[in-house]
Amino acid sequence: MMYKTYHVAQSIEEALSLLLKSVDRKVRFIAGGTDLMLQLRERIVEADMLVDISVIPEMKQISQDGSKISIGAVVSYSEMRQSDLLKKNGFLLVEASKLIGATQIQNMGTIGGNIGNASPAGDILPCLYALDAEIALQSADKKRSMPLRRFITGYRQLDLQPGELISGISFEALQPGMGSSFVKFGARQAQAISIVSVAAVLQVQAGKISRVAIALGSVAPTIVRSSSAEELLLSEQPSPDLFEKAGEAARDDISPIDDIRGSAAFRRYITQPLVSQALETAWRRTQKQI
Amino acid sequence: MINNQKDVLMDLVINNKHISIRAGGGRCLLDFLREDLSLMGTKEGCGEGECGSCTVLLDGKAVLSCMTPMERAIGREVTTIEGVGRPGNLHPLQQAMMEEGGVQCGFCTPGMIMSGVELLNRKSNPNRDEIVEGISGNLCRCTGYRKIITAIERAAEKMS
Amino acid sequence: MSDTQEIIEIKFADHRGYVPIGSSVIREDALAKVTGQAEYSGDISRPGMLHGKVLMSPFPHALVKHIDTSKAARMQGVHAVLTAKDIPGENVFGIAIADQQVLADKKVRFVGEPVALVAAEDPFIAAEAVRSIKVEYEPLQGVFDPLAGIKEDAPRVQEQGNILLHTKVRKGDYLKGFADADVVVENVYRTHGQDHVPLEPEGGIAWIENDGVLTIYSSSQYVFRDRKQVARVLNLPVNRVRSVNTTVGGGFGRKDDVTVEILVSLLASATLKPVRLVYNRHESMMTQTHRHPTITRVRTGATKEGKLTSMEGVVYGDTGPYSSLGIFVIKKMALHLGGPYYFPNYKCDSISVYTNNPIAGAFRGFGIFQSAIVHEQQMDELAAKLGIDPLEFRLKNCLREGLSFSTGQVMNEACGIAATLERLKEYMAEHSLRFSRNMEVV
């Protein structure tokens, strides 16, 4: 047995009360299960009880409230891929969802799982960092929210309190004139864990870059926002040349390591063209309003 | 410790048939299908979500049964290779896989067909790129994929 | 009727009675495979069947000081816990040379080497029991590179020394060949190891029939040798062992040597119950054979007219701690390092070295793949140095009927390299392709 009991929660309240009632037992929430089931099998994680949160209606929605887009924590990558709301207001999330795993993983895995896992190689995370996303957390007695980049405190480490659940994530909808993109480099296109990934958001007004966000994955213990590249770009006129320089600058903000997927030197090398590619794509999209 | 407690009531539709049996919980759907229902067509190639050999449809969506808790299938509809088509009543993709030589050692074949079936259900006329993407979660070590891709194309033609 | 149809009919007339020749046929087993009915090793079960699990070494090289199986043996649902001392016959196997222990006796030689076996009523219990076995190891210095392994003072992987086989191939006078050469290209090549990853990991099931015959169903490439190897370890006459092949979910050489056959047989014989053992991917990658990593130093000479004069090479093959088919794979490299080209003078040595890396064995290509990387790169560099088109250079030097191979064997049939290259030349002309300076097709 990988776990003893399994409960399907129908609401956030039910999920949280199951967690509270089982203080002396090892309880884990399960959404997509693509990481947890592997950890249970390998005995990296032990659990007495799994609480399935994958069918809780309010956690399964992508919604808009004014300029704010909210994504429930158990929305799957497939659902993000197909979301018209995201295609219009956060295209980079659609793009990243297409590049995660393959069909089966996209049908199973969820945005909340990607956040909760807090791996620097999680492909949704650079997108959310570039969007300055806020995370919504809920426990039996309170709700709180905070910027995602403060919630993720280190390599696979979260500021998650006991009895708390990630209920969703939200960000300001991208406006007309803004473009976004996500690019990754892996051993192959599908089913590969990123060696380096880059998310970019760009806005051009009156021929000058008025807003820019560049986030990099797999180059440090957590996702990195490249302030050097962002500073270099702001108020400048966009051009492929400038984007190449931004890629160079991004190298200063990363601290990659050697691992089985790639060396630190290779990660440093590939960061520059990936950043410049992400920026060029985002720039092209500023003209298409996505 | 011994897993013969039969502590979970598995009530679900499997290959269009409603079943309700007691089984030992705490395992992945793949093990339940193979050990409790003797549906041996679904294979374990890696057990960690890399190879796609264990692909089944859960409410019509392709999922990896090695990473799906068995209890998640309760109240839902599961389709395995055994439910796709039988000899004498094959799915067009099964027929095309045979005719195009998309089958060699055959171990990836059930999972590959499940991914292909999901794709054909989603898109009646997928182009080559969409087919490649559709089966990119399934590894094959024998064919080099070309004949499998052709088989899916052929099946799509037949079905339209 | 079009011309092409006519031609096909005429061609077929010669093969009347042999329907499959020239026509597209559906594999015999395709229907079973597309419907999920084909039975692979892990799909077979028997009433009362137990599940086998292997405790594998976490050390590449270590003495086994003590094994405590008492906790595992006491666990509810566990029917057998076996170590080397429980083996009824010889604790040895190996398809070419019997140099591999079934279960580690005095020492372990690679990460993943089987140390103990468990048979239990449930796979989870079997895994729990394996985890509860305590082994006391004394880690030893290891050999992780064939070049380090051949040094005088290297730790000994096998007691008789680290060199498994040294093959020498000599033809003509290689030194004279280099004296005649106008250009010489010298390089060192390293090729890496590789896992076959047959999609079906190794597996099998064994039981004792009513007549006492040990019956094994397994995913194997070679049942006849399997049964002989099982018989030796179980101390049974070969005719008391029946080995049956299941549908094989890919082998590529991996399942040439025995995989789990001996292990399931030991467990079935100890418990008198059917026992099935199927490796998961992780176990399979650790404990089974791989492609040989190799290191090759080579030099090749040619005249300015573009004729090869000599080749000298030495190959170091990393065979891991046991021979499997490594002895033949690396042996072949000494013969084939020159590829399908004619060398009047040839000297090549290949040395198969025991190391504490994963075991290397048969893998599609069988040493030819590693050789091809060497000889084709040598050809390209020579052609570039001489300013000759790489295809022309190969045509000038390829083996043809009447010419001799590295071993001196004269080609008198099935020597198709020239015809292949000629066809390639035509094809490239038809499609306006050529080789660029750095040997890319443009």
Side-chain angles (χ1 to χ4, degrees):
Chain A
M1 278 178 292
M2 294 192 274
Y3 47 88
K4 291 191 187 111
T5 56
Y6 194 90
H7 291 276
V8 182
Q10 300 298 333
S11 67
I12 295 182
E13 291 69 29
E14 189 189 348
L16 290 169
S17 75
L18 281 166
L19 189 61
L20 274 184
K21 268 192 254 165
S22 331
V23 273
D24 51 344
R25 301 173 68 200
K26 293 180 200 122
V27 181
R28 300 288 296 214
F29 289 128
I30 180 165
T34 54
D35 285 305
L36 183 62
M37 287 296 280
L38 179 59
Q39 290 161 351
L40 288 169
R41 183 189 279 249
E42 302 278 318
R43 296 173 68 93
I44 298 163
V45 166
E46 290 194 16
D48 293 327
M49 190 207 289
L50 297 187
V51 176
D52 185 335
I53 54 171
S54 68
V55 297
I56 297 174
E58 63 257 52
M59 286 172 69
K60 265 199 100 54
Q61 282 164 11
I62 305 175
S63 58
Q64 182 165 20
D65 180 9
S67 65
K68 201 168 107 175
I69 306 289
S70 299
I71 306 173
V74 298
V75 169
S76 71
Y77 304 121
S78 294
E79 286 159 347
M80 286 195 276
R81 269 187 84 157
Q82 286 150 15
S83 161
D84 290 331
L85 209 52
L86 292 184
K87 282 179 193 165
K88 203 162 150 258
N89 300 294
F91 190 74
L92 75 175
L93 287 168
V94 176
E95 205 167 24
S97 299
K98 280 184 189 174
L99 294 171
I100 291 177
T103 311
Q104 297 96 318
I105 297 282
Q106 289 166 15
N107 284 342
M108 299 169 78
T110 65
I111 186 168
N114 209 242
I115 295 168
N117 212 30
S119 159
D123 285 336
I124 291 294
L125 300 182
C127 304
L128 294 174
Y129 273 59
L131 291 165
D132 289 314
E134 290 257 318
I135 189 149
L137 304 158
Q138 197 169 327
S139 58
D141 52 357
K142 72 165 189 223
K143 289 184 182 181
R144 63 182 181 125
S145 65
M146 68 166 99
L148 177 65
R149 61 172 191 281
R150 277 212 286 120
F151 177 65
I152 296 176
T153 54
Y155 178 76
R156 293 186 180 275
Q157 282 178 339
L158 304 172
D159 177 18
L160 187 73
Q161 306 300 315
E164 212 170 33
L165 172 94
I166 299 170
S167 59
I169 191 104
S170 62
F171 59 90
E172 289 294 313
L174 296 183
Q175 301 300 313
M178 291 184 179
S180 70
S181 74
F182 173 80
V183 293
K184 72 184 262 184
F185 190 89
R188 66 182 182 115
Q189 273 194 314
Q191 206 81 328
I193 293 174
S194 291
I195 296 169
V196 173
S197 62
V198 181
V201 173
L202 198 69
Q203 184 174 29
V204 181
Q205 284 173 319
K208 298 273 167 66
I209 296 171
S210 57
R211 178 184 157 183
V212 61
I214 298 164
L216 298 109
S218 291
V219 293
T222 62
I223 305 301
V224 170
R225 273 285 289 266
S226 175
S227 49
S228 311
E230 289 174 10
E231 275 165 32
L232 186 135
L233 290 161
L234 207 59
S235 311
E236 297 293 322
Q237 202 179 325
S239 73
D241 241 19
L242 183 70
F243 295 153
E244 273 190 30
K245 285 192 191 108
E248 296 275 351
R251 285 184 176 148
D252 296 338
D253 297 333
I254 61 176
S255 47
I257 54 160
D258 293 326
D259 69 11
I260 52 164
R261 279 179 275 279
S263 66
F266 179 71
R267 288 189 156 100
R268 205 170 279 286
Y269 169 81
I270 201 76
T271 291
Q272 190 266 332
L274 283 181
V275 166
S276 113
Q277 188 190 332
L279 286 166
E280 279 197 47
T281 308
W283 182 36
R284 209 171 53 239
R285 288 177 183 157
T286 58
Q287 288 131 34
K288 286 197 205 157
Q289 307 197 342
I290 46 172
Chain B
M1 185 63 226
I2 294 182
N3 207 9
N4 55 11
Q5 291 171 7
K6 310 274 182 203
D7 50 349
V8 175
L9 180 66
M10 293 295 289
D11 191 294
L12 66 148
V13 173
I14 176 113
N15 296 331
N16 286 321
K17 215 174 114 195
H18 177 245
I19 62 156
S20 189
I21 65 160
R22 299 204 73 86
R27 294 172 291 150
C28 60
L29 180 59
L30 173 67
D31 287 352
F32 171 70
L33 293 171
R34 291 177 56 87
E35 290 165 12
D36 296 57
L37 303 182
S38 296
L39 292 169
M40 305 306 260
T42 308
K43 306 299 183 194
E44 177 177 317
C46 70
E48 50 187 71
E50 291 287 338
C51 77
S53 303
C54 68
T55 303
V56 299
L57 305 188
L58 183 62
D59 286 344
K61 283 185 185 155
V63 298
L64 300 165
S65 60
C66 78
M67 293 185 137
T68 303
M70 57 187 272
E71 293 88 347
R72 180 162 282 178
I74 295 170
R76 299 204 190 176
E77 215 172 296
V78 175
T79 310
T80 68
I81 187 68
E82 289 87 351
V84 169
R86 312 304 302 154
N89 183 26
L90 293 178
H91 186 282
L93 180 53
Q94 291 173 311
Q95 187 67 37
M97 284 284 277
M98 289 173 55
E99 287 169 4
E100 295 300 324
V103 181
Q104 285 190 30
C105 89
F107 203 77
C108 75
T109 306
M112 197 66 84
I113 289 175
M114 297 317 292
S115 287
V117 166
E118 196 223 31
L119 175 69
L120 293 169
N121 288 346
R122 260 189 293 137
K123 285 199 166 84
S124 55
N125 193 18
N127 64 35
R128 239 179 140 77
D129 286 347
E130 288 165 338
I131 295 171
V132 168
E133 201 199 324
I135 60 165
S136 62
N138 293 75
L139 297 179
C140 170
R141 292 287 286 165
C142 305
T143 63
Y145 303 100
R146 249 164 210 263
K147 293 178 174 186
I148 296 171
I149 295 164
T150 309
I152 296 174
E153 277 178 331
R154 179 70 71 84
E157 280 164 29
K158 264 195 209 161
M159 289 165 75
S160 60
Chain C
M1 188 188 278
S2 74
D3 289 348
T4 40
Q5 273 173 319
E6 241 168 24
I7 291 164
I8 289 166
E9 275 191 19
I10 292 160
K11 218 168 117 188
F12 270 85
D14 300 334
H15 298 294
R16 208 162 289 157
Y18 298 95
V19 180
I21 297 174
S23 61
S24 184
V25 291
I26 291 178
R27 310 173 54 101
E28 286 278 331
D29 55 4
L31 183 63
K33 285 173 173 175
V34 297
T35 52
Q37 300 303 296
E39 281 198 320
Y40 297 85
S41 58
D43 301 337
I44 299 170
S45 58
R46 300 273 293 182
M49 180 182 82
L50 303 175
H51 298 264
K53 186 90 178 168
V54 183
L55 173 69
M56 294 179 184
S57 163
F59 291 102
H61 201 198
L63 295 176
V64 178
K65 305 298 280 186
H66 183 68
I67 307 176
D68 179 4
T69 59
S70 57
K71 195 174 168 205
R74 281 198 310 270
M75 282 174 68
Q76 196 191 349
V78 171
H79 287 242
V81 184
L82 307 179
T83 61
K85 67 175 172 28
D86 302 307
I87 290 174
E90 293 176 52
N91 181 11
V92 73
F93 74 103
I95 190 166
I97 296 175
D99 65 353
Q100 182 166 358
Q101 52 191 350
V102 177
L103 294 173
D105 184 9
K106 293 185 180 66
K107 74 171 182 174
V108 290
R109 296 183 177 87
F110 70 103
V111 174
E113 175 147 35
V115 176
L117 301 174
V118 166
E121 287 167 17
D122 168 294
F124 291 96
I125 300 172
E128 191 67 42
V130 158
R131 269 192 296 276
S132 76
I133 298 171
K134 297 275 172 283
V135 186
E136 198 187 310
Y137 294 101
E138 184 186 317
L140 299 171
Q141 289 256 305
V143 175
F144 303 107
D145 181 311
L147 297 178
I150 55 171
K151 285 186 181 147
E152 280 283 296
D153 57 346
R156 293 232 163 164
V157 178
Q158 291 274 5
E159 285 63 29
Q160 71 273 26
N162 292 341
I163 293 179
L164 168 61
L165 184 74
H166 183 164
T167 303
K168 299 174 185 184
V169 179
R170 305 285 185 266
K171 176 187 173 186
D173 179 348
Y174 79 101
L175 286 175
K176 183 180 171 298
F178 282 114
D180 295 343
D182 296 305
V183 291
V184 175
V185 166
E186 181 165 357
N187 281 309
V188 176
Y189 297 88
R190 283 174 183 263
T191 65
H192 58 77
Q194 187 187 7
D195 197 287
H196 311 65
V197 200
L199 266 199
E200 177 205 25
E202 301 72 20
I205 174 171
W207 64 86
I208 316 283
E209 287 285 2
N210 293 336
D211 58 4
V213 171
L214 171 69
T215 301
I216 308 156
Y217 278 69
S218 69
S219 179
S220 170
Q221 288 180 239
Y222 212 150
V223 287
F224 297 102
R225 267 214 275 229
D226 289 348
R227 77 196 280 238
K228 279 189 193 168
Q229 299 216 57
V230 169
R232 177 167 53 194
V233 180
L234 275 282
N235 197 22
L236 291 170
V238 175
N239 71 352
R240 306 303 285 166
V241 181
R242 179 168 171 250
S243 212
V244 183
N245 206 5
T246 63
T247 305
V248 176
F252 317 121
R254 174 81 146 230
K255 297 169 182 173
D256 228 340
D257 206 340
V258 291
T259 59
V260 302
E261 289 82 0
I262 298 173
L263 308 180
V264 286
S265 299
L266 285 168
L267 289 169
S269 145
T271 59
L272 300 177
K273 280 175 171 285
V275 181
R276 187 173 76 196
L277 168 61
V278 181
Y279 282 139
N280 63 33
R281 181 60 59 192
H282 184 72
E283 292 166 333
S284 166
M285 284 189 166
M286 290 214 299
T287 202
Q288 295 298 311
T289 59
H290 305 82
R291 193 188 290 286
H292 287 78
T294 62
I295 301 167
T296 303
R297 175 177 286 282
V298 66
R299 61 182 182 132
T300 313
T303 63
K304 58 180 181 298
E305 291 76 30
K307 276 291 195 187
L308 292 169
T309 58
S310 191
M311 182 157 192
E312 182 196 10
V314 56
V315 177
Y316 300 93
D318 177 351
T319 206
Y322 301 109
S323 159
S324 187
L325 272 163
I327 191 160
F328 298 128
V329 173
I330 298 303
K331 178 180 183 151
K332 270 189 96 144
M333 282 192 70
L335 282 62
H336 287 271
L337 202 66
Y341 304 106
Y342 172 68
F343 289 94
N345 307 290
Y346 185 93
K347 171 182 184 271
C348 188
D349 291 54
S350 74
I351 301 163
S352 196
V353 185
Y354 285 127
T355 69
N356 296 107
N357 289 330
I359 314 171
F363 195 156
R364 273 186 174 186
F366 216 81
I368 305 305
F369 156 85
Q370 291 96 326
S371 301
I373 282 173
V374 174
H375 57 69
E376 292 310 312
Q377 183 66 26
Q378 290 292 102
M379 292 301 133
D380 281 347
E381 290 193 18
L382 280 170
K385 244 184 168 171
L386 290 163
I388 302 176
D389 176 81
L391 190 49
E392 288 302 331
F393 183 68
R394 284 170 170 81
L395 269 166
K396 265 181 205 282
N397 290 292
C398 67
L399 282 171
R400 292 166 193 267
E401 285 178 25
L403 292 175
S404 63
F405 184 58
S406 65
T407 54
Q409 180 191 358
V410 177
M411 299 289 117
N412 51 21
E413 59 185 324
C415 187
I417 178 73
T420 307
L421 293 173
E422 292 288 359
R423 180 69 196 100
L424 175 61
K425 202 168 142 182
E426 283 168 28
Y427 180 91
M428 290 183 76
E430 283 161 21
H431 294 81
S432 311
L433 299 170
R434 63 179 178 80
F435 288 105
S436 74
R437 270 188 68 84
N438 51 0
M439 299 302 155
E440 281 165 19
V441 176
V442 290

